[in-house]
C-alpha cells in the first residue's frame, strides 16, 4: 500500500525507491573499482612506455614522456568521471540531494561519451595507419 | 486527508525528472554507439580469423594438389594446427560479444524505462551498467596481470 502511494505520487518521473537505491549502491562500488583499475593501468602503461624510450636520445625521451603523459591523461579522465560519479551518487543517496544525483548521472554520461570518442579516435587512427601502409606497399 | 499528508512525508526525495531523463537518454545513445562499434569489431575479428584459416587452407591445398593429388582432410588438419589461435580468438570474440550485449541491453532498457516510465526497466538498465563496470574492471585486471607475467616471469 505504501509503495503504491509512493509510485502514484511521482507522475512527473520515476522515483528512486529502495530497490533502485540498492542497485545504485552496487553501481557506486563497481564504478570505484573500475576507476581505480583505470588509474592502475594508466600508471603501468606509462611506466612501460617510458621504459621503451629510456635508452634513446633527448628527442626520443621527450617523445616518450609526452606519449606517457598523454596516455596517462586519457585514462585519468575516465577515472575522474567515474570517481566523481560514484562520490556524488553516494552523497545524493545518503543526503537525498537531487542536484548531486544529476551531477553523478551527468558524469556517467560524460564517461560514456569520452569512451566513445576515444574508441572512435583510435579506430580512425588505425584505419589511417593501415591505409598509409597499404598505399606505401 | 490523513493519508495524503502521510504521502507527502514519506515520498522519496530523489526522482528521475525531465532533466535527469535527458542525461540518461544521452548516456543510452553513447552506449548504443559503443555497442555498434563493438559489434563491428567482433565481426571484423571473426572475418580475419576465417580469412586466416581459409588462406592457409588454399595455400596448403594448392601445394598438396600439385604434389600428391589432394586430401579431403586438409581443412581439418589446418584447423587442428591453428587450434590455440582459434581458441584465443573464440575467447576474445565471446568477450567482445558479451560486452556488446551489456552495452546494448543498457541502451535498450534505459530507452524503454524512460519512454514508459517503468521502474523495473530502469532497475534492469542500472544493473546491466553495474555488471558492465565489474566485467570491464575484472577483464582489465586479468589482462594486465597476464601481460606483466608474460613480460617479467616467462
Amino acid at each position: 500500500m505504501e509503495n503504491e502511494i509512493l509510485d502514484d505520487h511521482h507522475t512527473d518521473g520515476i522515483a528512486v525507491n529502495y530497490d533502485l537505491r540498492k542497485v545504485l549502491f552496487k553501481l557506486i562500488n563497481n564504478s570505484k573499482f573500475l576507476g581505480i583499475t583505470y588509474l592502475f593501468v594508466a600508471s603501468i602503461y606509462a611506466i612501460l612506455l617510458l621504459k621503451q624510450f629510456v635508452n634513446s636520445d633527448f628527442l626520443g625521451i621527450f617523445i616518450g614522456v609526452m606519449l606517457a603523459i598523454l596516455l596517462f591523461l586519457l585514462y585519468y579522465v575516465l577515472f575522474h568521471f567515474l570517481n566523481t560519479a560514484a562520490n556524488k551518487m553516494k552523497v545524493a543517496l545518503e543526503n537525498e540531494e537531487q542536484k548531486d544525483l544529476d551531477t553523478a548521472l551527468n558524469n556517467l554520461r560524460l564517461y560514456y561519451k569520452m569512451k566513445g570518442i576515444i574508441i572512435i579516435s583510435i579506430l580512425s587512427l588505425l584505419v589511417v595507419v593501415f591505409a598509409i601502409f597499404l598505399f606505401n606497399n | 486527508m490523513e493519508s495524503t499528508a502521510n504521502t507527502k512525508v514519506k515520498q522519496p526525495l530523489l526522482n528521475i525528472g525531465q532533466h535527469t531523463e535527458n542525461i540518461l537518454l544521452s548516456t543510452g545513445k553513447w552506449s548504443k554507439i559503443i555497442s555498434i562499434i563493438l559489434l563491428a569489431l567482433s565481426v571484423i575479428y571473426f572475418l580475419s580469423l576465417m580469412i586466416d584459416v581459409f588462406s592457409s587452407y588454399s595455400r596448403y591445398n594448392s601445394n598438396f594438389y600439385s604434389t600428391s593429388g589432394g586430401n579431403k582432410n586438409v581443412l581439418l588438419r589446418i584447423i587442428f594446427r591453428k587450434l590455440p589461435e582459434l581458441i584465443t580468438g573464440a575467447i576474445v570474440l565471446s568477450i567482445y560479444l558479451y560486452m556488446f550485449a551489456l552495452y546494448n541491453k543498457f541502451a535498450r532498457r534505459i530507452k524503454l524505462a524512460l519512454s514508459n516510465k517503468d521502474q523495473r526497466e530502469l532497475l534492469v538498465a542500472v544493473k546491466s551498467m553495474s555488471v558492465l563496470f565489474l566485467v570491464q574492471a575484472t577483464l582489465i585486471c586479468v589482462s594486465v596481470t597476464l601481460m606483466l607475467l608474460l613480460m617479467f616471469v616467462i
Side-chain angles (χ1 to χ4, degrees), chain B residues 92-154:
Chain B
V92 172
L93 202 64
S94 55
I95 289 169
Y96 270 132
L97 287 174
Y98 185 54
M99 300 279 265
F100 155 75
L102 284 174
Y103 273 113
N104 196 41
K105 190 179 177 185
F106 172 72
R108 202 159 31 88
R109 296 292 178 130
I110 205 83
K111 206 175 171 186
L112 272 175
L114 297 178
S115 57
N116 301 340
K117 302 259 184 267
D118 194 337
Q119 183 92 42
R120 277 185 195 165
E121 294 287 353
L122 186 68
L123 206 72
V124 175
V126 177
K127 254 184 201 170
S128 68
M129 194 202 259
S130 179
V131 172
L132 179 73
F133 285 176
L134 188 66
V135 169
Q136 273 181 342
T138 314
L139 281 175
I140 291 170
C141 283
V142 169
S143 59
V144 168
T145 314
L146 278 176
M147 189 188 77
L148 289 178
L149 271 175
L150 281 171
M151 278 181 74
F152 295 111
V153 181
I154 305 168

Side-chain angles (χ1 to χ4, degrees), chain A residues 2-97:
Chain A
E2 211 173 87
N3 283 338
E4 278 173 25
I5 293 168
L6 292 179
D7 286 345
D8 286 342
H9 192 80
H10 286 274
T11 46
D12 57 329
I14 306 169
V16 180
N17 63 4
Y18 177 71
D19 291 336
L20 190 58
R21 198 172 278 261
K22 242 170 54 179
V23 179
L24 283 175
F25 270 114
K26 268 186 194 165
L27 182 68
I28 290 170
N29 291 338
N30 291 340
S31 304
K32 284 217 165 195
F33 180 33
L34 184 59
I36 290 166
T37 315
Y38 277 137
L39 210 58
F40 171 66
V41 167
S43 320
I44 286 177
Y45 282 167
I47 290 167
L48 289 178
L49 198 71
L50 280 176
K51 215 180 140 195
Q52 295 288 321
F53 288 90
V54 85
N55 290 328
S56 51
D57 56 344
F58 177 74
L59 189 70
I61 291 172
F62 179 73
I63 292 169
V65 170
M66 284 296 133
L67 282 175
I69 289 172
L70 189 73
L71 193 76
F72 189 83
L73 275 180
L74 276 181
Y75 276 105
Y76 183 79
V77 168
L78 293 177
F79 158 77
H80 173 74
F81 286 142
L82 278 176
N83 200 42
T84 314
N87 288 339
K88 288 281 177 185
M89 202 173 282
K90 202 173 180 185
V91 172
L93 293 177
E94 281 171 358
N95 303 338
E96 303 281 343
E97 289 281 351

Side-chain angles (χ1 to χ4, degrees), chain B residues 4-27:
Chain B
T4 322
N6 281 342
T7 2
K8 280 191 178 169
V9 174
K10 282 175 183 171
Q11 64 166 299
L13 295 171
L14 296 174
N15 71 327
I16 310 291
Q18 190 58 48
H19 177 60
T20 325
E21 270 185 28
N22 292 340
I23 294 171
L24 283 172
L25 276 176
S26 176
T27 315

Side-chain angles (χ1 to χ4, degrees), chain B residues 82-94:
Chain B
K82 285 188 172 284
L83 207 58
E85 287 170 38
L86 287 175
I87 289 171
T88 317
I91 292 169
V92 172
L93 202 64
S94 55

Side-chain angles (χ1 to χ4, degrees), chain B residues 64-99:
Chain B
F64 205 83
Y65 273 117
S66 60
T67 54
S68 64
N71 190 343
K72 285 175 184 174
N73 294 324
V74 172
L75 188 62
L76 272 179
R77 268 194 220 173
I78 286 169
I79 287 174
F80 197 70
R81 207 173 48 184
K82 285 188 172 284
L83 207 58
E85 287 170 38
L86 287 175
I87 289 171
T88 317
I91 292 169
V92 172
L93 202 64
S94 55
I95 289 169
Y96 270 132
L97 287 174
Y98 185 54
M99 300 279 265

